[in-house]
Amino acid sequence: MRVEADEDAPADVAEAVANAEKNNLFMSLDEVLARSKKERITLNVDSDVVSYFRRYAKEHGAKYQTLMNEVLRGSVEKQLLTK
């Protein structure tokens, strides 16, 4: 998935998306579908962060929750690899 810089994105979110792409952490559709075990949660997220992911998802024909999960997964995997 190709990520383009978004000047309206909060710096930490834009950096996380850029790092996920750089490290090839965005999954293909097949990989996303293979990870079908999800847990429904309630999560408070800053409105500018949600707006960024919704806009990005709409522009790229994706689901914003899936993109948010990918960024979170990439962060967790990075932390696990550095331990």
Side-chain angles (χ1 to χ4, degrees):
M1 180 178 289
R2 179 74 186 123
V3 178
E4 295 183 22
D6 186 329
E7 61 191 41
D8 296 331
D12 52 341
V13 173
E15 182 180 343
V17 171
N19 287 337
E21 181 192 43
K22 179 178 136 187
N23 295 309
N24 199 27
L25 297 177
F26 283 114
M27 296 182 290
S28 69
L29 179 57
D30 290 336
E31 291 171 314
V32 170
L33 294 175
R35 293 185 178 180
S36 61
K37 187 172 183 176
K38 303 286 184 189
E39 182 175 339
R40 183 177 301 268
I41 64 167
T42 300
L43 177 68
N44 294 319
V45 180
D46 294 336
S47 62
D48 58 338
V49 172
V50 175
S51 294
Y52 171 78
F53 277 100
R54 283 183 172 154
R55 183 174 56 252
Y56 181 87
K58 184 176 182 180
E59 290 171 359
H60 293 88
K63 294 181 179 179
Y64 78 94
Q65 298 99 329
T66 301
L67 295 175
M68 292 175 80
N69 189 60
E70 287 183 36
V71 170
L72 288 169
R73 176 174 292 287
S75 179
V76 169
E77 289 175 354
K78 180 180 175 184
Q79 292 296 316
L80 292 174
L81 290 174
T82 59
K83 287 187 175 186

